[in-house]
Amino acid sequence: MNSTMQKISIEKVKESKIEQVDFNNLAFGSLFSDHMLVCDYRNGAWETPKITPYQPITLDPSAKIFHYGQSIFEGMKAYKDDKNKTWLFRPLENFKRLNVSANRMAIPELPEEFFMEGLKALLELDNKWIPQTEGSSMYIRPFIFASGNGFHASPADAYKFIICLAPSGSYFSGKVKVLIEEKYSRSANGGVGYAKTGGNYAGQFYPTQLAVAKGYNQVIWTDDSTHEYIEEAGAMNIFIRIDDTLITGPTSDRILDGITRKSILQLAEKKGIKTEVRKITVTEVVEAAKNGRLKEMFGAGTAAVISPISAFGYRDVDYDLPEIENSFASQMKKEITDIQYNRSEDPFGWRVGL
């Protein structure tokens, strides 16, 4: 047994609330399992993780998370196959990215065994909470924030690492219509766009609300300096198919290195689909839509996996995308979810069983 697991303490709930849950009607990320994992950083070191009942946490009003926004998070999922076995999808990639974000936000790196073994212990304890309804999964939210106190504008001296579990249904339902943004920016060169930090998402809410008021579901972000280049779709990476070529922007200071994004690129290469990782201009996309060469656009991320875009708006004009049989989006989503749910072979070694 791993040394971390030999030391970890587990406090179980007195009475589970699982009987109150309708697993056939799960919203996304609004219902939480019985337990959570908590680990504190104090006196220059991460302490041994512990598992406790899911509960509120108490913080001093001067905790630096409230004042200087030192926070990072990840998004993962656990899946059950038809034999009731539990699987994770590329969990080490989430762990590595958490520490990339930690470095950028001046947060101490987390040891791998605390992340992986703590997560496995939590999932084993709350295993009955992992849904088996088609399209549902256990959404996993690991996060770290500054719990140290003080108004001095400097990194905190104490942090909390927590993992919470949320049995969830689909993130998006129905068609997604997006607006290409020309005024507001998600991130900038030299900034924190590549880190999964809360401020990146908070800054998106207002422009997205403006887009929703105009009848759109999400925003397509463009570069911060010229607004000429397509970058991300809402909180997801974006893929654009022109003719039979699948295009996505390169990762940078401004663009998150998405795990679903990397998986799509590897799958496309295996399937013989031509891909290009390059900058793509708004003008190129609009022209392709006008002359019929734009076949598909879709967002890619952990929550939605793949979310097809049915239309986009740009400068008061809406452009509808064609409905295509056997689209790249549907092919990729099926292949990824079949691997995640252990319905197919996994030639990449992405699937990790508990």
Side-chain angles (χ1 to χ4, degrees):
M1 182 180 291
N2 186 285
S3 59
T4 301
M5 300 315 299
Q6 290 175 330
K7 297 176 184 176
I8 194 169
S9 65
I10 298 177
E11 179 190 352
K12 295 183 180 179
V13 294
K14 293 179 180 178
E15 184 176 353
S16 175
K17 55 183 183 289
I18 195 169
E19 298 301 327
Q20 305 169 23
V21 178
D22 181 0
F23 282 91
N24 292 315
N25 292 286
L26 291 172
F28 182 86
S30 59
L31 174 75
F32 307 99
S33 71
D34 285 327
H35 300 91
M36 64 185 190
L37 181 131
V38 181
C39 182
D40 284 295
Y41 180 91
R42 287 184 285 228
N43 300 316
W46 286 103
E47 299 175 351
T48 303
K50 57 186 178 182
I51 292 175
T52 70
Y54 183 88
Q55 60 190 289
I57 55 178
T58 301
L59 293 171
D60 192 282
S62 69
K64 291 199 174 185
I65 177 58
F66 299 135
H67 307 280
Y68 304 115
Q70 267 188 295
S71 71
I72 57 173
F73 68 95
E74 273 299 321
M76 313 168 60
K77 287 180 179 177
Y79 311 84
K80 273 191 176 176
D81 64 19
D82 56 8
K83 295 182 176 60
N84 207 39
K85 183 172 174 61
T86 301
W87 301 92
L88 295 167
F89 183 73
R90 308 189 74 174
L92 280 176
E93 293 295 321
N94 291 100
F95 165 72
K96 292 173 185 175
R97 192 171 63 183
L98 184 77
N99 275 341
V100 168
S101 298
N103 276 320
R104 182 62 184 85
M105 299 302 293
I107 293 172
E109 287 192 14
L110 187 77
E112 181 181 323
E113 63 175 345
F114 284 23
F115 183 94
M116 290 300 301
E117 300 305 323
L119 173 58
K120 289 178 181 179
L122 182 61
L123 285 169
E124 287 170 3
L125 183 61
D126 279 357
N127 195 263
K128 290 182 179 179
W129 282 84
I130 303 174
Q132 291 183 280
T133 310
E134 182 67 28
S136 298
S137 58
M138 177 68 87
Y139 186 76
I140 302 165
R141 173 52 59 87
F143 59 103
I144 303 175
F145 64 89
S147 55
N149 303 331
F151 293 150
H152 190 272
S154 60
D157 59 1
Y159 298 86
K160 276 190 181 293
F161 167 57
I162 297 176
I163 303 178
C164 297
L165 306 177
S168 296
S170 298
Y171 189 78
F172 285 121
S173 58
K175 296 179 179 180
V176 177
K177 185 179 178 182
V178 297
L179 176 67
I180 295 178
E181 179 59 50
E182 288 193 274
K183 178 180 178 181
Y184 298 98
S185 298
R186 177 187 173 274
S187 57
N189 286 332
V192 297
Y194 68 91
K196 282 189 74 73
T197 181
N200 284 343
Y201 296 79
Q204 294 183 35
F205 294 156
Y206 177 66
T208 302
Q209 285 180 333
L210 297 179
V212 169
K214 295 177 181 178
Y216 300 92
N217 304 102
Q218 272 291 353
V219 167
I220 288 185
W221 300 105
T222 52
D223 69 287
D224 63 299
S225 56
T226 68
H227 295 288
E228 293 178 4
Y229 296 97
I230 298 288
E231 296 215 322
E232 291 202 342
M236 298 182 287
N237 296 120
I238 188 167
F239 283 83
I240 296 166
R241 176 183 172 186
I242 296 179
D243 295 327
D244 286 327
T245 300
L246 197 58
I247 309 166
T248 192
T251 56
S252 67
D253 288 350
R254 303 185 307 276
I255 297 178
L256 186 72
D257 188 10
I259 294 163
T260 306
R261 172 188 177 276
K262 289 192 283 194
S263 303
I264 290 170
L265 289 172
Q266 287 180 254
L267 270 175
E269 182 181 3
K270 181 177 179 293
K271 291 171 66 66
I273 294 172
K274 183 181 177 182
T275 61
E276 293 179 359
V277 178
R278 63 170 174 85
K279 291 184 175 182
I280 181 168
T281 65
V282 176
T283 300
E284 183 179 357
V285 173
V286 170
E287 287 303 314
K290 288 179 178 178
N291 61 32
R293 297 179 61 214
L294 180 64
K295 306 301 183 184
E296 297 179 64
M297 297 173 66
F298 56 87
T302 297
V305 186
I306 289 175
S307 183
I309 293 169
S310 62
F312 72 89
Y314 181 65
R315 295 185 176 175
D316 299 321
V317 178
D318 285 346
Y319 299 88
D320 293 320
L321 277 80
E323 292 189 11
I324 297 176
E325 289 187 16
N326 200 32
S327 66
F328 286 177
S330 62
Q331 291 179 50
M332 296 295 179
K333 185 168 186 176
K334 183 179 188 306
E335 295 210 23
I336 289 175
T337 54
D338 281 353
I339 290 173
Q340 290 170 335
Y341 287 94
N342 194 30
R343 295 191 292 247
S344 68
E345 293 299 315
D346 175 14
F348 305 100
W350 292 339
R351 194 167 52 218
V352 176
L354 258 61

